[in-house]
Amino acid sequence: MQLVVARIGRAHGIKGEVTVEVRTDEPELRLAPGAVLFTDPAPTGPLTIETGRVHSGRLILRFEGVSDRTGAEALRNTLLIAEIDPEELPEDEDEYYDHQLMDLDVVTKDGEEVGRITEISHLPSQDLFIVERPDGSEVMIPFVESIVIEIDLEEQRAVIDPPPGLIDDRAEIVSSKEDASEDDSVEGDSVEDTDA
């Protein structure tokens, strides 16, 4: 099974090094010197990592056979793909590979069907589940502990506790002019930025 682990950015210096946007929680394993990676587009690879280092918070790699800036620039926007055993699991029990989460049914904690995960979007601040609703529309659900409260791989489902308005347009809005008794009837959950 293949897993996208990074995207090559721009050239760094004149000796063939490139910056990479890491897309794995295990860069020390997937992007170590000696690792052989497939590429998208395929004719660019496979690429073997010769050296790796961190500079100003960014991972810098050099590949065997790429020794100048021109060669490094030619690799820009190439996806790096690792071949992994489909039975392999992340070291942390609260982490998941994308392939484990794809096609999971999404339901609320009350058992209401929301849809099916069709894509996982990796953003700098958090990951998002792209969920296809039964009517064909899509909803984005942040993959954070306060919203995604359970991943059950055996049952093939993700259980969520969505704040008002996340999965429908019926968010409750209370005007400040309404009396206090009406204000007390509205409940909401706060959304934390803690990754699951």
Side-chain angles (χ1 to χ4, degrees):
M1 143 166 250
Q2 295 189 327
L3 181 72
V4 174
V5 293
R7 183 182 66 82
I8 297 176
R10 53 181 203 255
H12 181 82
I14 59 171
K15 297 183 179 180
E17 291 183 315
V18 294
T19 62
V20 294
E21 173 190 314
V22 176
R23 295 190 179 176
T24 175
D25 291 333
E26 303 168 314
E28 67 287 342
L29 174 66
R30 308 287 179 209
L31 301 171
V36 179
L37 301 167
F38 296 101
T39 59
D40 182 9
T44 306
L47 295 172
T48 302
I49 298 175
E50 185 174 294
T51 63
R53 63 188 176 93
V54 176
H55 176 73
S56 299
R58 293 208 62 133
L59 181 60
I60 308 291
L61 297 179
R62 182 168 50 225
F63 300 99
E64 290 180 6
V66 180
S67 58
D68 60 20
R69 186 173 184 88
T70 303
E73 278 295 343
L75 297 175
R76 192 171 189 167
N77 293 322
T78 298
L79 295 177
L80 298 175
I81 303 166
E83 186 71 39
I84 65 164
D85 181 343
E87 301 301 315
E88 182 181 334
L89 299 175
E91 291 179 8
D92 187 335
E93 65 180 31
D94 291 331
E95 292 181 359
Y96 303 90
Y97 291 133
D98 288 4
H99 72 270
Q100 294 176 288
L101 302 171
M102 291 296 292
D103 293 323
L104 291 186
D105 292 323
V106 179
V107 296
T108 66
K109 66 179 185 176
D110 300 326
E112 177 188 344
E113 179 186 0
V114 177
R116 181 179 56 85
I117 298 173
T118 57
E119 184 182 341
I120 295 145
S121 180
H122 300 281
L123 303 177
S125 59
Q126 67 191 13
D127 295 335
L128 288 176
F129 290 160
I130 310 301
V131 177
E132 184 177 314
R133 307 288 307 258
D135 65 5
S137 64
E138 289 185 337
V139 62
M140 291 182 282
I141 298 175
F143 187 20
V144 294
E145 287 181 52
S146 59
I147 296 174
V148 180
I149 58 175
E150 181 186 0
I151 298 290
D152 187 336
L153 295 178
E154 286 187 14
E155 294 292 325
Q156 287 290 291
R157 68 179 188 164
V159 180
I160 65 170
D161 183 12
L166 180 66
I167 60 173
D168 58 36
D169 296 330
R170 298 185 304 271
E172 297 180 42
I173 300 172
V174 177
S175 168
S176 60
K177 294 180 183 177
E178 294 182 32
D179 64 45
S181 64
E182 288 180 339
D183 286 349
D184 292 342
S185 68
V186 177
E187 297 179 7
D189 296 333
S190 62
V191 178
E192 298 175 7
D193 288 333
T194 305
D195 286 342

